């Protein structure tokens, strides 16, 4: 019970910090350093973003699982037992959402000029397809990294961070390239459009479906790989 309470508190704090970190990087690069939105400015922002993802990966290890993205824990909960699944969707994900909402509210109160977060710039169907495909890609990469290089923190974090950043850039002009329902919920709540059809379909249902499809596809391929290996071993004996 103590470990679960600590994990929930960690999710809240990490989710709040994640919302702040991305905005503070933009403020530092474009306001403090007064850099333009050109290649140099974007390179520095992206470099700091990768360093930031390393920091949050380290925080995840320190807190023994605290994270800011519902999709990360949902993919593992699907593969776990039913009690873990209920704990994830009933406690951890709502706390991540509350942490993001709190973080955005504090951020807007502190820096009113920061804006109101990512917005959908295409129609709802293209937006849902974009977020679903981006989520499918990053969840598949994460599962593959956990399977192929389970012990290398630096290499896993490096590949994961570069992949997330690349996918974010690909989708940034369409949906914001978020792949994080809790973070988007924080900004949508601040704007007052958190219960609209566009928000629920594009930033919640599509990423969840992408996560489920990625987990099931990975399980299917891995099961087929194990069967092929058993057949090879049977032939050699």
């Amino acid at each position: 019970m103590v470990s679960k309470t600590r994990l929930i508190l960690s999710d809240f704090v990490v989710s709040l910090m994640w919302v702040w970190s991305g905005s503070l990087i933009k403020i530092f690069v474009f306001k403090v350093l007064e850099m333009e939105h050109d290649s140099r400015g974007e390179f520095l922002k992206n470099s700091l973003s990768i360093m930031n993802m390393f920091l949050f990966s380290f925080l995840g290890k320190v807190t023994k699982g605290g994270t800011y993205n519902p999709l990360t824990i949902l993919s593992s909960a699907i593969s776990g037992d039913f009690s873990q699944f209920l704990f994830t969707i009933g406690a951890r994900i709502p706390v991540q959402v509350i942490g993001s909402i709190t973080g955005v509210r504090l951020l807007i109160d502190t820096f009113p000029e920061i804006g109101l977060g990512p917005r959908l710039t295409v129609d709802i169907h293209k937006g849902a397809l974009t977020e679903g495909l981006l989520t499918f890609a990053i969840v598949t990469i994460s599962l593959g990294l956990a399977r192929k290089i389970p012990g290398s923190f630096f290499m896993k974090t490096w590949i994961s961070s570069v992949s997330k950043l690349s996918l974010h850039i690909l989708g940034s002009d369409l949906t914001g390239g978020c792949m994080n329902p809790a973070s988007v919920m924080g900004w949508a709540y601040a704007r007052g459009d958190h219960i609209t059809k566009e928000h629920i379909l594009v930033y919640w249902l599509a990423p969840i479906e992408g996560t489920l499809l990625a987990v099931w596809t990975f399980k299917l391929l891995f099961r087929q790989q194990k069967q092929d290996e058993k057949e090879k071993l049977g032939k050699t004996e």
Side-chain angles (χ1 to χ4, degrees):
M1 183 65 185
V2 175
S3 61
K4 287 186 176 181
T5 302
R6 184 178 64 239
L7 192 57
I8 290 174
L9 291 175
S10 298
D11 285 339
F12 176 84
V13 174
V14 171
S15 298
L16 188 152
M17 291 174 61
W18 175 255
V19 172
W20 270 74
S21 64
S23 298
L24 289 179
I25 288 174
K26 294 177 183 178
I27 291 174
F28 176 72
V29 174
F30 300 118
K31 298 291 184 181
V32 177
L33 299 182
E34 297 183 346
M35 298 187 73
E36 301 292 334
H37 289 268
D38 55 12
S39 57
R40 291 176 64 249
E42 292 298 325
F43 176 79
L44 178 58
K45 187 193 76 170
N46 292 335
S47 299
L48 292 175
S49 296
I50 290 178
M51 293 172 61
N52 187 51
M53 283 186 266
F54 266 91
L55 171 63
F56 276 87
S57 294
F58 177 72
L59 288 176
K61 290 178 68 69
V62 171
T63 59
K64 297 181 180 180
T67 185
Y68 54 87
N69 194 336
L71 303 178
T72 302
I73 55 177
L74 180 62
S75 61
S76 59
I78 295 170
S79 306
D81 56 33
F82 189 63
S83 61
Q84 179 188 358
F85 179 77
L86 288 179
F87 175 61
T88 298
I89 63 172
R92 296 193 67 187
I93 291 178
V95 166
Q96 289 175 334
V97 171
I98 294 171
S100 298
I101 291 174
T102 304
V104 170
R105 174 51 57 193
L106 293 173
L107 186 63
I108 292 175
D109 290 342
T110 308
F111 304 102
E113 73 280 5
I114 198 63
L116 291 175
R119 292 177 181 270
L120 183 65
T121 60
V122 293
D123 67 72
I124 188 172
H125 302 291
K126 290 181 180 178
L129 181 62
T130 300
E131 283 292 314
L133 289 175
L134 293 177
T135 302
F136 175 83
I138 195 58
V139 172
T140 301
I141 291 171
S142 299
L143 292 172
L145 290 174
R147 172 67 184 168
K148 295 298 182 181
I149 46 177
S152 176
F153 171 78
F154 178 82
M155 186 58 64
K156 281 199 302 184
T157 306
W158 170 254
I159 297 174
S160 176
S161 299
V162 173
S163 300
K164 287 178 183 177
L165 180 61
S166 301
L167 292 171
H168 167 72
I169 293 173
L170 285 174
S172 58
D173 291 335
L174 304 176
T175 63
C178 304
M179 300 169 286
N180 184 345
S183 178
V184 182
M185 181 69 171
W187 293 104
Y189 187 84
R191 295 193 302 265
D193 58 10
H194 56 290
I195 56 174
T196 61
K197 179 176 68 175
E198 288 80 4
H199 173 75
I200 294 173
L201 179 60
V202 174
Y203 295 109
W204 279 97
L205 292 182
I208 289 174
E209 290 176 359
T211 300
L212 294 173
L213 183 60
V215 172
W216 290 335
T217 301
F218 189 82
K219 282 185 175 180
L220 180 63
L221 294 176
F222 180 60
R223 186 183 301 118
Q224 185 62 43
Q225 181 182 355
K226 290 182 67 176
Q227 290 177 353
D228 293 340
E229 290 176 353
K230 287 182 179 179
E231 290 178 359
K232 289 181 180 179
L233 288 174
K235 290 179 180 179
T236 57
E237 292 177 352

